[in-house]
Amino acid sequence: MAHGFHIKGTEQFGYSMVNRYLHSFYIYMNTVQRICKLYNYAPVHFLKGYVAHSCYIRLKSFDTFLKVLVEHKDYVTANCIMRMLGDCVAIFHLVYMEPDENLRLLRHCLYVLDGCECNLRVLPGYTIESGIPENELIEANKQIEFNIEHRKRMMREVQEILEQSPLKQQNPEAFNRIVEDRNWKFKEFKSYNKKGQNQYQWRELYQQIDYTEGYDLLSYMSQYAHGLSMSNLLINLDEQGIDGVIGEALGLLDRMNMYVMNFYSEKNLYIIEGLKEPEIRDKILACYDEKHRPSIAEWERNFTIHV
């Protein structure tokens, strides 16, 4: 590790930020694999299944982040991915860590509805015309049609859930306004005049996951995501630079696993038991240096303290 750069806990991994990241990644991998095994059905109305499979998508993104940075030394793309991951972790916290069950379902429905509608606005119609070969054009149009119908089906499912929401009877004015605005980022369940008066800004969502200490790092990452000046700078990506980026992503990865474990708290014992399975256990143990690596027997006795 570069001189003078240290993140608490890295000594267990030979001061390797890559190994430290992989350690957390494999723990999250175990969490995701176990919940996806339990919940292999992911319709909009079944939150446990829907969330499980959205976590699998994030698992792949955390994996891609490390590959892009370590294998390809692509600092710009890595920061773009980290900004996306930051948004996803903040969204998960807001939507699925909502303590009130009815509000949680409302946020979930509006988040799905907002995403589907935005996606439909940019999808072409059922057919596109292009200079590509006819057989490819046919397949492309089939895929477009499938995507449109899939999103429309999800929107119908959401509308059915919203119609049955107790919140609709509790405060019709607030409910209708929030639904009309697709305002899944609402601060309070109440009526309001302007959307911005009752809506979290992204900086506030980052604050909720304790990720703005000192400065708003994730908003800063937008300079990479939007291709502004930061993406055009010549950057000397040395070992210390890589460690810094991995360290920030590690914070998001650990938060994501913590939130998911909280969401599936009734299945925590089942999830943790997966850490003793050889396929996962050996991956995790390989992350430690020889001095700190627990034996298999020690791991199986005390593995819960490593979670």
Side-chain angles (χ1 to χ4, degrees), residues 196-303:
Q197 293 176 338
N198 189 31
Q199 185 179 61
Y200 288 110
Q201 301 302 307
W202 281 106
R203 179 181 176 85
E204 294 174 298
L205 296 184
Y206 302 150
Q207 288 173 339
Q208 289 187 0
I209 63 170
D210 191 27
Y211 223 78
T212 56
E213 185 177 354
Y215 68 104
D216 190 355
L217 174 68
L218 292 172
S219 293
Y220 168 80
M221 292 295 112
S222 68
Q223 296 188 58
Y224 297 95
H226 297 297
L228 298 178
S229 58
M230 288 303 298
S231 65
N232 297 316
L233 292 177
L234 295 177
I235 299 172
N236 180 23
L237 187 58
D238 56 14
E239 185 180 7
Q240 184 169 353
I242 291 176
D243 284 347
V245 180
I246 293 176
E248 297 296 348
L250 173 63
L252 294 173
L253 178 55
D254 285 341
R255 283 168 174 79
M256 188 66 182
N257 189 67
M258 178 177 65
Y259 298 152
V260 176
M261 291 290 287
N262 183 285
F263 187 78
Y264 294 96
S265 58
E266 76 282 3
K267 300 298 181 182
N268 275 2
L269 180 60
Y270 168 77
I271 293 170
I272 292 172
E273 284 177 346
L275 296 172
K276 293 197 293 185
E277 296 291 332
E279 181 181 1
I280 287 289
R281 179 201 65 204
D282 294 346
K283 288 179 182 293
I284 296 174
L285 292 181
C287 297
Y288 292 89
D289 70 1
E290 292 185 5
K291 178 181 178 181
H292 296 90
R293 183 180 299 125
S295 67
I296 291 176
E298 290 172 329
W299 177 258
E300 293 187 346
R301 283 197 307 268
N302 306 307
F303 64 93

Side-chain angles (χ1 to χ4, degrees), residues 82-100:
M82 184 161 69
R83 167 59 193 267
M84 178 272 290
L85 289 169
D87 286 0
C88 291
V89 174
I91 290 168
F92 191 98
H93 180 271
L94 175 70
V95 176
Y96 301 110
M97 293 294 94
E98 167 63 59
D100 184 278

Side-chain angles (χ1 to χ4, degrees), residues 120 122-128 144 148:
L120 286 174
V122 299
L123 276 172
Y126 281 98
T127 60
I128 58 173
I144 290 171
I148 290 174

Side-chain angles (χ1 to χ4, degrees), residues 157-193:
E157 292 177 3
V158 166
Q159 293 293 354
E160 291 173 1
I161 298 170
L162 292 175
E163 285 298 318
Q164 299 172 17
S165 174
L167 298 172
K168 188 174 183 179
Q169 302 299 323
Q170 176 181 323
N171 190 335
E173 186 177 354
F175 182 85
N176 291 334
R177 185 56 193 267
I178 288 172
V179 171
E180 179 184 358
D181 288 345
R182 308 300 191 246
N183 185 13
W184 52 273
K185 292 188 285 186
F186 63 87
K187 291 184 177 180
E188 297 178 81
F189 181 68
K190 65 179 183 178
S191 187
Y192 55 94
N193 295 321

